[in-house]
Each structure stands twice: as structure tokens, then as C-alpha cells.
Amino acid sequence: MAIEREEILPKYWYNIIPDLPKPLPPPRDPPDAEFSRIDLLRKIMPKEVLRQQFTVERFIKIPEEVREAYLNIGRPTPLMRAKRLEEMLNTPAKIYFKFEGATPTGSHKINTALPQAYFAKAEGVNHVVTETGAGQWGTAVALAARMYNMESTIFMVKVSYEQKPQRRTIMELYGGKVYASPTNLTEYGKKVLAENPSHPGSLGVAMSEAIEYALTNNYRYLVGSVLDVAILHQSVIGQEAMKQLDILGEEPDILIGCVGGGSNFGGFAFPFLGAKRGEKFIAVGSYEIPKFSQGDYMYDFPDSAGLLPMVKMITLGKDYVPPPIYAGGLRYHGAAPSLSLLIKEGIVEWREYSEPEIFEAARLFAEAQGIVPAPESAHAIKAVIDEALKAKKNHERKVIVFNLSGHGLLDLPNYESMMKRLLK
Amino acid sequence: MSKMLVSYATLGYPKENEYLEFIDGCVKGGSDILEIGVPPKYAKYDGPVIRRSYKQVSSWLKDIWPLLKETRDRVKIPIIILTYLEDWLPVLDDFLSNLAKIGIDGILFPDLIIDYVDDYEKYVKKIKDHGLKAVIFTAPSVPDPMIQRVSKISDIFLYYGVRPTTGVPIPVSVDSLITRIRILVDNKLVVGFGLSDVEDMRKALRAGADGIAIGTAYIEAIEKGGVQEAINLVKYFRGVLNEF
Ligand SMILES: Cc1ncc(COP(=O)(O)O)c(C=O)c1O
């Protein structure tokens, strides 16, 4: 068994950029910039992470130490069949899911937190900083930092900080220092608070604070999504899934994932796209944060303060603030440049589902499979259910594979809130 | 066949006379090709140093044509104009025919296949129809099949910018980036963007580059020690290329 696990875990990360249908517009500095954001990256990111971001090769070797760390957190994650869900839907389709909730932090985010922390440590960094929304990314960074004996500081979006005390507890248990953003610790945070003292926070604001905080203290910033390097690291998901399907003798037809910044979707789907396996790819976002239906494909800043280089992506604008009562996650204002390009080219389809829809899907999945999904992942589940029902209508034996990006055991306040508001 | 040194100068930088002195020095110092940057409205893929040079020149250079013509008249080696397509779209035919008229050899639009990918063939044809060489710019963010395709139609050489912006020493593995595309490129391969470190250059050449394009390093040398220092740098880089 141990040998099999090591064989399924890939030896390389996969980068889709050389296989995209068109050139990926590069990150760039804004016109008349008073300073170079691209240059600033050198002070923000661990050097090796930056090198991987810009040294675009199809395959990049995973350092043996990082592979060991992956094995240690339980990679490869299981590829499971949702047999009872199929039965409940009475669909001829087969449904499989890659269960990224099986890692200790409960989501896929650890897949990039580990190598980034490893590279930071190897450079002599002793303190890393990041932002987090719901807390999955913050948790992953806090654990990864602990594993490499580094300090971590996490700027957590204020509404989540208040609604998600358990996430905070875990981060603190791992030794992370957690602040509710906007804070008074950074110039940008102060500015946001001066304009609106009850600002609920946003990922864009928290990201800016984390970057500024890293800069002023000469710490390093770890990036959780959006940038190519994060998706590169996540490619372990899709590569494992391909091998696991091979072992089962299955060929996937439809691949589905949810999209916040795009890292779990890209990590899961891009290896399939690159290998030309699968006929339909569906990226699922939230109806309440409607970047696919209402966003523009343009150069925009990943963070609200505009400290990072502009990237070309589908975006609602860097200053977008999501509706505060909405509890379904996927609140980031943009989608990764590579994913945005694939959507614009019609290679990846998108869907948006509302909170009541994903809540219903989450309930059904929990009843069928017993796993409480992360609200983010419930978006993917909703699309899976729709596709399975379509297969039923058309009498097609489709093989649907989706990425269950996280479990929802620490998102129970969200479900509680949804139950209160939606079950009337 | 020796390796190509492609030397970049911002048109008119820092001042007219010093600029002319520098391009003379580029030729004498052993450059094979001269790349002249025409100040754009938005230097999308340029770092702070080249942007600074554009800004300085734009403050006094109102008409580019006499100086471009003067450049052509002094210099016998091929001259390639570097400027962004975005700025010239409304007057593209006039612009290209003026360049051809004064005897400029070719043009390189860094944004051609990135921002105008759907129409790039049309623009390449237009450039060639005006009797100019079309030097195509690629980067690691260009997919492999496309690098292969445009390498066949690029004139003089294929330009490969190994960093996202000029002049900023983002850590990249120059050799890995070149190894990835070398077998795809059916043309001479000239590598640029942030190459001033000679070890990086040697790596690029060992990995199969046919030439090196240098810009920012010269401008920084001019800022620090004046034109003569930049000319010394041309000779120094020529020496590095001659090792191969
Ligand atoms: C469980 C889970 N799924 C999905 C996402 C969305 O992010 P991404 O699109 O980068 O995977 C998040 C983000 O926090 C998450 O925690």
C-alpha cells in the first residue's frame, strides 16, 4: 500500500501555460507607475516561488522533501465514488470525487502552502505572512509554517474572523498570529478604516495588508491562489486523479470544480486538459459574487491596494466588497489569468449558483455520502447534480469527476446561518 | 557563425548628441543589430529604467523622424524599431511606410502576439508588405505550438524575452526557459529582458541562444557614468559573446 501511494503521488508539478491555446498576457506594471510592482515581488515572495512563477516549463520537479511532506499529510488524497449520490439521483452517470478535505487542514490549500513554506525556510526566512477569507488558506499557512519552524501572521477578513472563531483557534493552535482585517497595523488598513470604520473586510484588502506587513517587516508573503505558481503546485490534485482513474479503468467525461481564485479548479482540471482527457470542463462560481457573468476580462490588481502587478483576468474590480450576509465562500473578486483565458476561449465553461442552490446541494451530498462539504465545494456539487440529472434525461452513462476541495466541519456557522435564513 | 549582439537604445536618450555618440559606439563596439526604442504612451512590458529613459526623452523629443533618419544615415548595421503596436494602430500604414522610406530595416512590436494574437498574421503581412522585416516577440507565456509557428515567419531572428518586464532581475532559470523552446524555434533565437548578468548570458548561450539583446544595462551605465561607460559595456558584452 505504501508503495502504491508513493507511485500515485506525482514527481513533477504540471504547468499548463505552454499548452494554452493562446499566449497568457504577462503580469505588468500599470502606466505611469511610481514604483515597479514586478520589482516589488522580489521583496515579497520567496525567491524560489518567484522563480517558479516565471520560469514557465511544462513540468517542474517536486523536491523530494516536499514529496515527503505531501505523503506525511496524507497525499495522495482519496478518489471516491459517490455511489449513494448516484442512486439518490437515479442517474446512469458515474460520479467520482477527489477528496481534498482529507488533508489535516481540511482543504487543498496545503498543497501550495507546503512548498512555499519549504522554499521560504530554505532561504532563511523565519516569518511568513498571508491573508485568509474563510480561514482555509490561513490554516494551511499556519500549519506549513509550523512544520518548517517559522512564525506566521494571518490577516483574516473581519466578517469571517467574527463568524469563524474555530478557524482562528486552529490557526492559533498551529502557532499563527491572527488579525481581523482591516487592521490598524498597516497604512492601507488604516486608510480603509478611516473611510469606513465598519468595513467588513475583503480578501483584496486583507491581501494588501499582508503584503504591506511582510514588506515593512522584511517577512515573506505566501500566495494562496490566482498566481500561476499556486496553480502549478495544486497540479498534484489532477495528476493523482488521473492515475487513480487509470487504476479504476475509468475515462472521465465531465470535470467540475469550484472557483474562488481558481487554484483548486486549475490544480484539478489543468492536468486533464493538458493530457487531452475529458470532454467538458465546468468552473463554478457564486451567483452572489458574479465574476463570470458580470466581471470584465481585463488587467486588474489582485489586491485592493495595488501592490502586486496587474494581471489580466476576469474580475469584478479590485475594490469589490462581497455581500456580508452571504455565507457560501468564493468571495474573491477575480479568477486566475490562466483560467480566465480558458473561459474566454470557450474551453472551460462556467456556472454560477446561488446560496439556496448550493445549500440544497450540500445537504443532499451530506445525506448521500456523509461528508459535510465546504460551502465553496458545494458549488461544484450543485453542478455535478445538474450534470448527473442531465445524463439521466439523456440516458447517458457519463463519468463525472469533481474536486471536493474541502470539508465543511469548520463551516458549520455558515450552514447554521443558511438554515436560519433559507429553511423557512 | 558568431553570436549576435543586439544593442538597444532609447531614441534620443539621454540627449541628442550623446545618443548619437552611443549608437556609434554600439556599432564600433561590435553590435550586430541596433534596436531603437521609440517612446510609447504605455511601456507595458518595460521596467522602471527604460520607462525613465522614455520619460526623459519625451520631454524634449517632439518629432522622432529627423533623429530616426539621422540614426539610419550614420549606422550601417540593421536597425530594428521597438515600439508598442497599441500606440500606432490608428496610423499604422503611415508609420510603417515612413520607416521604410528612411531605410529602417525592421520592426518589433512587443505586444503583437500577446495583445493582438487574433490578428497577428494580418499585421505581420502588413509590415512585410511595406518592405520591412517583422521581428516577432515571444516570451515564456507564449504556448509551445505558437512559438513554433511564429518562429518560422519572424524575420532576422526570433526574440524571446525571458522575464515579464525589461530590466527587473526577477529570478528565472534562463537555461531551462531556453531548453524548453530551443527545439521549437526554426530560426535564430535572440534572448533578452533583464540580461545584464554575464553568468545569465553564458547560460543562455550554452542553452542554445544565437544572440543576446541588451538594453537596460546600457541605460543604467549612462545614468551612472555617461555614454562612454555604456560603450565600454558594449565591448565587454561582445567579448562574452566571442567566447562562444
Ligand atoms: C475549500 C475551498 N475550496 C475552494 C476555495 C476557492 O479557492 P480556489 O479557487 O483558489 O481554489 C477555497 C478558498 O478559500 C476553499 O477554502
Side-chain angles (χ1 to χ4, degrees):
Chain A
M1 269 320 273
I3 293 168
E4 199 181 293
R5 277 183 59 210
E6 280 185 36
E7 274 169 12
I8 292 170
L9 183 70
K11 296 201 165 56
Y12 293 83
W13 287 301
Y14 170 69
N15 193 333
I16 197 171
I17 296 173
D19 295 323
L20 286 174
K22 285 186 179 170
L24 189 67
R28 67 194 197 191
D29 281 323
D32 303 318
E34 59 297 344
F35 65 94
S36 168
R37 275 79 178 165
I38 293 177
D39 201 14
L40 201 62
L41 289 177
R42 298 192 298 136
K43 298 207 182 86
I44 297 170
M45 291 167 74
K47 190 163 175 242
E48 178 61 16
V49 178
L50 193 54
R51 195 193 66 79
Q52 292 189 344
Q53 165 72 22
F54 289 111
T55 303
V56 179
E57 295 177 88
R58 196 170 273 103
F59 290 101
I60 293 187
K61 195 163 174 16
I62 304 176
E64 220 24 72
E65 294 88 340
V66 175
R67 284 191 84 237
E68 272 164 33
Y70 279 158
L71 288 168
N72 187 46
I73 57 152
R75 297 217 72 84
T77 54
L79 180 81
M80 297 166 76
R81 181 158 173 198
K83 198 97 209 268
R84 277 200 74 224
L85 181 64
E86 293 167 18
E87 283 161 12
M88 278 169 73
L89 298 171
N90 191 21
T91 174
K94 283 195 212 167
I95 302 173
Y96 290 96
F97 61 98
K98 183 75 172 153
F99 185 38
E100 288 298 303
T103 69
T105 60
S107 84
H108 64 293
K109 300 277 179 184
I110 191 75
N111 299 332
T112 185
L114 273 179
Q116 290 190 52
Y118 167 78
F119 293 133
K121 184 65 187 186
E123 278 156 42
V125 172
N126 57 26
H127 195 137
V128 293
V129 188
T130 200
E131 76 288 337
T132 194
Q136 285 100 330
W137 172 239
T139 309
V141 169
L143 178 60
R146 181 76 301 126
M147 284 181 164
Y148 292 105
N149 290 314
M150 288 184 289
E151 305 294 317
S152 62
T153 299
I154 293 115
F155 288 82
M156 187 171 188
V157 175
K158 195 195 277 160
V159 277
S160 304
Y161 183 91
E162 282 155 8
Q163 290 165 4
K164 295 278 183 72
Q166 287 108 339
R167 278 277 174 207
R168 208 165 78 215
T169 307
I170 298 190
M171 288 186 263
E172 286 169 356
L173 202 56
Y174 289 150
K177 187 101 192 60
V178 188
Y179 297 106
S181 163
T183 71
N184 270 313
L185 294 168
T186 67
E187 291 311 311
Y188 189 68
K190 283 182 206 159
K191 182 172 158 259
V192 170
L193 286 174
E195 277 162 24
N196 175 10
S198 54
H199 194 293
S202 73
L203 267 176
V205 170
M207 212 183 242
S208 296
E209 287 209 90
I211 292 164
E212 187 190 322
Y213 191 76
L215 257 178
T216 43
N217 293 293
N218 196 24
Y219 301 151
R220 287 298 175 276
Y221 171 75
L222 303 192
V223 59
S225 190
V226 188
L227 293 194
D228 308 317
V229 66
I231 300 182
L232 172 83
H233 295 157
Q234 294 292 352
S235 68
V236 293
I237 305 173
Q239 294 185 79
E240 287 175 6
M242 278 201 282
K243 280 200 189 149
Q244 289 167 320
L245 287 167
D246 287 344
I247 291 170
L248 297 169
E250 291 286 12
E251 207 40 50
D253 296 306
I254 304 170
L255 293 120
I256 299 174
C258 68
V259 178
S263 72
N264 90 85
F265 182 88
F268 170 65
F270 290 179
F272 285 93
L273 270 166
K276 300 198 164 36
R277 294 176 67 171
E279 59 185 31
K280 188 153 139 181
F281 296 81
I282 306 172
V284 190
S286 146
Y287 172 84
E288 287 81 1
I289 291 96
K291 59 187 156 222
F292 295 135
S293 57
Q294 289 176 42
D296 292 313
Y297 183 46
M298 60 178 205
Y299 270 96
D300 190 17
F301 292 104
D303 65 305
S304 302
L307 295 172
L308 292 175
M310 304 177 84
V311 295
K312 194 166 180 186
M313 61 178 177
I314 295 173
T315 172
L316 289 163
K318 72 178 175 64
D319 295 319
Y320 178 79
V321 178
I325 62 151
Y326 164 74
L330 308 179
R331 294 152 161 264
Y332 187 64
H333 66 271
S338 51
L339 174 59
S340 295
L341 186 142
L342 286 162
I343 287 175
K344 282 293 150 192
E345 289 300 307
I347 292 167
V348 171
E349 298 176 22
W350 60 264
R351 303 278 159 82
E352 284 172 354
Y353 293 116
S354 67
E355 200 185 39
E357 289 174 303
I358 66 117
F359 176 56
E360 211 29 61
R363 274 220 309 173
L364 189 67
F365 189 76
E367 278 174 34
Q369 299 300 136
I371 297 173
V372 179
E376 290 87 352
S377 319
H379 289 76
I381 295 172
K382 169 63 179 156
V384 169
I385 292 170
D386 285 0
E387 288 299 311
L389 293 176
K390 196 163 133 201
K392 175 179 168 184
K393 203 170 116 220
N394 299 335
H395 307 287
E396 289 174 320
R397 289 184 54 89
K398 295 284 185 197
V399 175
I400 303 170
V401 187
F402 76 99
N403 192 38
L404 187 61
S405 55
H407 71 62
L409 292 176
L410 294 158
D411 301 303
L412 298 180
N414 300 41
Y415 286 120
E416 228 172 78
S417 149
M418 287 189 227
M419 280 177 188
K420 274 199 205 108
R421 285 180 292 121
L422 304 172
L423 287 185
K424 288 218 179 99
Chain B
M1 168 67 194
S2 68
K3 303 282 186 184
M4 269 188 275
L5 177 60
V6 178
S7 290
Y8 167 91
T10 292
L11 181 69
Y13 180 81
K15 280 281 178 279
E16 183 162 340
N17 284 340
E18 290 155 298
Y19 158 77
L20 293 171
E21 189 188 334
F22 175 61
I23 59 166
D24 287 345
C26 278
V27 177
K28 287 204 198 87
S31 306
D32 300 288
I33 291 168
L34 200 58
E35 229 185 307
I36 301 295
V38 171
K41 288 200 191 74
Y42 176 13
K44 292 182 231 178
Y45 309 131
D46 284 304
V49 177
I50 290 186
R51 285 187 179 198
R52 212 152 57 219
S53 78
Y54 285 145
K55 200 164 178 188
Q56 177 170 336
V57 167
S58 301
S59 68
W60 60 268
L61 182 67
K62 299 303 167 201
D63 182 2
I64 60 170
W65 296 104
L67 193 53
L68 272 181
K69 175 134 189 3
E70 169 75 22
T71 308
R72 173 70 288 173
D73 293 345
R74 300 168 83 95
V75 173
K76 297 289 165 280
I77 63 175
I79 296 178
I80 296 164
I81 298 303
L82 188 150
T83 193
Y84 291 84
L85 177 58
E86 183 178 62
D87 284 348
W88 298 99
L89 272 180
V91 291
L92 191 57
D93 279 305
D94 285 349
F95 180 59
L96 296 175
S97 73
N98 282 346
L99 289 177
K101 212 181 297 164
I102 63 169
I104 295 295
D105 295 273
I107 185 138
L108 187 159
F109 292 125
D111 51 349
L112 175 66
I113 67 162
I114 292 168
D115 296 330
Y116 301 93
V117 59
D118 293 327
D119 298 317
Y120 82 90
E121 283 163 311
K122 182 181 98 188
Y123 292 117
V124 168
K125 181 169 183 306
K126 205 186 256 291
I127 293 166
K128 296 190 184 197
D129 285 349
H130 279 280
L132 291 165
K133 311 265 192 216
V135 184
I136 296 184
F137 175 86
T138 59
S141 59
V142 178
D144 286 2
M146 185 144 194
I147 288 183
Q148 191 164 23
R149 232 179 303 135
V150 300
S151 80
K152 293 191 199 344
I153 59 169
S154 187
D155 292 316
I156 315 178
F157 58 80
L158 183 79
Y159 195 116
Y160 187 54
V162 287
R163 290 187 174 82
T165 192
T166 58
V168 176
I170 288 285
V172 294
S173 301
V174 171
D175 39 0
S176 309
L177 288 172
I178 293 171
T179 305
R180 176 186 136 208
I181 65 145
R182 180 63 267 193
I183 56 161
L184 305 170
V185 175
D186 188 4
N187 203 328
K188 295 228 178 307
L189 178 65
V190 168
V191 175
F193 275 44
L195 283 184
S196 63
D197 178 87
V198 288
E199 267 326 300
D200 254 14
M201 276 181 213
R202 291 192 177 103
K203 272 191 201 157
L205 294 162
R206 263 184 241 123
D210 299 301
I212 296 290
I214 309 280
T216 302
Y218 297 146
I219 292 172
E220 278 178 332
I222 294 172
E223 286 180 341
K224 278 199 208 98
V227 169
Q228 194 50 50
E229 190 158 323
I231 295 172
N232 292 343
L233 210 47
V234 176
K235 294 179 194 153
Y236 175 60
F237 290 143
R238 180 72 260 171
V240 174
L241 290 171
N242 289 347
E243 295 167 13
F244 291 82

